[in-house]
Amino acid sequence: MPLNQPTWTAERIELLKNRFEAGLSCREIANDIGVSRNAVIGKLSRLNLTREKPPGAPRPPRKDSAKGARSKSMPRLQYQLLRKLYSEPQLLADHEPISNDACCSLQELSEARCRWPIGNPGARDFRFCGIRPVESLPYCLGHTRLAYRPGSRQRAARA
């Protein structure tokens, strides 16, 4: 169809209405008329044509029931863990230096070692902290306190 002609001619609108009343889906109507599905949906909306469900018709079952009960999201679990961590007395003061005795290279890094980077990547002396991390977190206690700082007003309001 040339660009200067309207998409919705009287003939197309009649086809739309007939196919809609026949119960065809928007995709089927769009294929018959030669327009996009969204164009059909928009035109039906502008013409105030809707398929009303009979009152009292049952709703289709939700599909997420197959997944079962969902566990809490990771950010919420992490928030609870950090809240517990900060509610305990501080074992390491914020101003005390963190020991760098167990530094390791990228090849030596594992989940059993703190992943806090020390130095600039690409430099010869670049390494990772390597101290035993806090359970289920990537950093040791000292670096966890640096990475996850409390005190945000929004975080405090959610508690």
Side-chain angles (χ1 to χ4, degrees):
M1 175 174 256
L3 293 175
N4 57 355
Q5 292 187 0
T7 302
W8 292 107
T9 61
E11 180 183 326
R12 278 189 169 174
I13 292 172
E14 283 307 311
L15 285 172
L16 171 74
K17 288 179 182 179
N18 291 338
R19 295 204 174 26
F20 179 77
E21 290 170 4
L24 279 106
S25 71
C26 292
R27 170 60 56 210
E28 293 168 329
I29 296 170
N31 288 339
D32 286 349
I33 296 175
V35 295
S36 71
R37 178 179 162 269
N38 284 343
V40 170
I41 292 169
K43 191 61 176 180
L44 288 172
S45 176
R46 288 188 296 278
L47 293 172
N48 291 324
L49 295 174
T50 59
R51 292 193 177 127
E52 295 188 24
K53 295 178 183 168
R59 296 179 84 181
R62 295 184 70 173
K63 292 182 181 180
D64 61 335
S65 61
K67 294 180 184 176
R70 292 178 57 184
S71 63
K72 290 186 178 181
S73 67
M74 256 334 240
R76 184 68 184 163
L77 290 174
Q78 189 176 37
Y79 170 75
Q80 290 172 349
L81 179 67
L82 292 171
R83 186 172 179 196
K84 180 181 175 191
L85 178 71
Y86 282 106
S87 68
E88 295 173 358
Q90 287 197 358
L91 302 175
L92 183 65
D94 289 335
H95 63 277
E96 289 183 25
I98 299 167
S99 171
N100 287 335
D101 297 338
C103 291
C104 63
S105 68
L106 180 62
Q107 288 82 16
E108 300 167 330
L109 196 60
S110 68
E111 289 200 17
R113 302 185 103 173
C114 175
R115 297 185 200 118
W116 189 267
I118 299 172
N120 293 322
R124 288 186 184 266
D125 63 342
F126 179 71
R127 57 201 187 282
F128 295 90
C129 173
I131 298 174
R132 187 179 58 82
V134 175
E135 185 180 334
S136 74
L137 289 175
Y139 306 123
C140 64
L141 181 62
H143 288 124
T144 296
R145 292 190 189 285
L146 289 174
Y148 306 104
R149 292 196 176 261
S152 165
R153 288 185 183 173
Q154 292 83 11
R155 238 184 271 149
R158 280 187 258 149

